Amino acid sequence: EVQLLESGGGLVEPGGSLRLSCAASGFSFSTYAMSWVRQAPGKGLEWVAGFSGSGGYTFYADSVKGRFTISRDNSKNTLYLQMNSLRAEDTAIYYCARDYYSSGYYCDNWGRGTLVAVSS
Amino acid sequence: SSELTQPPSVSVSPGQTARITCSGDALPKKSAYWYQQKSGQAPVLVIYEDSKRPSGIPERFSGSSSGTMATLTISGAQVDDEADYYCYSTDTSLDHRVFGGGTKLTVL
């Protein structure tokens, strides 16, 4: 069974930093692309960042480019999201998701999410 | 991928058929996917590649796509199907990923 467990969320002041982690199990982590998707309170889903399964390629939404960094440690089956220069509009539940490729990439399994609140 | 547009809400009585639409200019060329998100829970994939159903998803969930519109159909909707539903589409890259705004389905 695929399991994704996020951690690292919390309250941070504007301009601050936070690192999220996602521990994966139940599948061959290194062979899958992975993504972070967020959901602001009462709002819809927004894809944030992705990391390819091979080749080490990273991709970002324009809203976080230059501030967030996605990384992975395949030896630990863990995905990370380093968030710097945080803004109030980054307040959201952040979900870790496994990407599956057929005719395009889509998230086929999701974690339960971790809440990030940016406020002074 | 271009924008995806969904109606904000759909309401049906139990046992009726619920249809949720998703329109987008890229849909004639790209597959549509559908996620169900119940209150306080993570999204769950219910339809992929326009009309395929993942294992464990009830047969009452089906999908179709024609031209610039994709449709999620729930035949014989149940109270337990009340949730927000999001359509999604992408191209072959990892970074062009778009969700629709979501549709709140009410079954009562």
Side-chain angles (χ1 to χ4, degrees):
Chain A
E1 179 192 4
V2 173
Q3 293 196 341
L4 301 167
L5 184 61
E6 303 92 338
S7 62
L11 176 63
V12 60
E13 293 186 346
S17 298
L18 211 56
R19 187 175 88 152
L20 307 183
S21 299
C22 170
S25 61
F27 64 102
S28 180
F29 178 75
S30 64
T31 64
Y32 282 87
M34 299 290 295
S35 282
W36 289 97
V37 179
R38 70 183 180 183
Q39 186 171 35
K43 302 297 184 182
L45 300 170
E46 179 190 17
W47 175 83
V48 171
F51 200 115
S52 65
S54 61
Y57 300 107
T58 58
F59 306 86
Y60 300 93
D62 288 342
S63 57
V64 306
K65 203 170 290 185
R67 301 187 299 123
F68 289 12
T69 302
I70 187 172
S71 61
R72 65 192 295 165
D73 185 339
N74 289 338
S75 69
K76 296 181 179 180
N77 288 352
T78 301
L79 181 73
Y80 303 99
L81 185 67
Q82 177 67 45
M83 304 184 294
N84 298 331
S85 303
L86 282 162
R87 308 166 179 167
E89 55 264 35
D90 296 317
T91 294
I93 296 173
Y94 284 74
Y95 295 101
C96 167
R98 187 180 80 169
D99 282 326
Y100 190 86
Y101 183 84
S102 55
S103 57
Y105 283 100
Y106 64 97
C107 300
D108 70 342
N109 283 271
W110 301 61
R112 293 187 175 184
T114 186
L115 177 62
V116 172
V118 184
S119 175
S120 55
Chain B
S1 286
S2 58
E3 198 172 293
L4 298 174
T5 302
Q6 300 180 236
S9 63
V10 168
S11 182
V12 298
S13 299
Q16 289 188 327
T17 296
R19 294 182 179 85
I20 300 172
T21 59
C22 172
S23 63
D25 291 340
L27 289 179
K29 302 182 291 292
K30 305 302 175 187
S31 293
Y33 304 76
W34 291 93
Y35 294 92
Q36 176 195 66
Q37 186 180 33
K38 296 182 178 180
S39 180
Q41 298 184 20
V44 173
L45 181 71
V46 293
I47 294 290
Y48 66 102
E49 294 179 24
D50 293 338
S51 60
K52 298 177 181 178
R53 199 171 49 247
S55 62
I57 300 302
E59 290 184 10
R60 64 180 180 273
F61 288 86
S62 63
S64 62
S65 186
S66 178
T68 60
M69 184 167 289
T71 302
L72 173 68
T73 301
I74 308 173
S75 303
Q78 301 180 4
V79 173
D80 186 56
D81 298 329
E82 278 205 346
D84 294 323
Y85 290 85
Y86 294 90
C87 64
Y88 165 88
S89 189
T90 183
D91 57 24
T92 56
S93 69
L94 260 170
D95 65 342
H96 293 151
R97 320 212 10 192
V98 178
F99 289 95
T103 298
K104 182 176 184 60
L105 175 65
T106 301
V107 182
L108 59 84

